[in-house]
Amino acid sequence: QFEWAWQHPNASHRLLTPPLRRPREQPISFALRILPRLLRAPPWSRLPLKIRWLRPPRPALELAPPPHVVEEEGVGLPRLKRKKGRSQEVDVVIDECGLCMETQATPLLRCLRPQCSMAAHPPCLARLFLAREPQQLLPLGGACP
């Protein structure tokens, strides 16, 4: 949906006032000019999207992307090396959520700090992080409880 709206900004309902192409403006310049505006429009304004610039230098954008959008440089995703041989069995440890104290099949998210042992279900963390923004569906961030 994002790509379609980016390619058809005048037909998309995501931009309230779609910008017009300037006289003699190249299509790529126009696309780069509307990119930050689309990233700030719902529903993409809260999604953890990434912009990957394939060739340096990065073009100067008229408006900066939202702070939660990550900008990267590089030609592709890093390739993962596959190990040959038999698959190894993995012990599954079932923990309980640090917020609801229930054990469910939903995988737990763990705190990024090595010294913290907090683990919680994604919906439990979302409810906690969205307590001040109940009308939203996705949190932009939050502090480990």
Side-chain angles (χ1 to χ4, degrees):
Q1 290 179 348
F2 180 84
E3 286 186 35
W4 186 90
W6 194 20
Q7 292 169 3
H8 306 92
N10 293 326
S12 173
H13 298 288
R14 300 299 179 188
L15 293 174
L16 297 176
T17 55
L20 298 174
R21 218 167 126 188
R22 296 175 181 150
R24 296 189 205 131
E25 184 176 29
Q26 297 294 322
I28 189 69
S29 298
F30 177 66
L32 290 174
R33 189 162 56 90
I34 64 170
L35 175 64
R37 294 173 194 219
L38 272 175
L39 290 170
R40 292 177 179 275
W44 307 296
S45 61
R46 298 186 69 86
L47 295 179
L49 300 175
K50 292 183 181 181
I51 299 174
R52 181 178 296 269
W53 301 107
L54 299 178
R55 291 189 212 158
R58 291 181 184 182
L61 298 175
E62 192 174 287
L63 180 67
H68 68 279
V69 173
V70 178
E71 291 187 76
E72 298 177 341
E73 289 184 11
V75 176
L77 300 174
R79 295 184 181 225
L80 300 175
K81 294 181 182 178
R82 290 186 178 191
K83 292 183 180 180
K84 294 183 180 179
R86 297 182 183 177
S87 62
Q88 299 174 354
E89 291 184 20
V90 178
D91 292 335
V92 177
V93 178
I94 299 177
D95 293 327
E96 68 179 26
C97 176
L99 297 174
C100 72
M101 303 304 174
E102 292 183 13
T103 304
Q104 299 175 358
T106 307
L108 299 175
L109 296 177
R110 305 205 178 276
C111 183
L112 297 174
R113 294 177 294 152
Q115 68 272 17
C116 183
S117 61
M118 176 65 185
H121 298 117
C124 297
L125 279 174
R127 276 191 294 277
L128 176 69
F129 293 163
L130 290 172
R132 293 184 180 167
E133 299 178 288
Q135 72 281 6
Q136 297 297 333
L137 293 175
L138 294 173
L140 290 178
C144 178

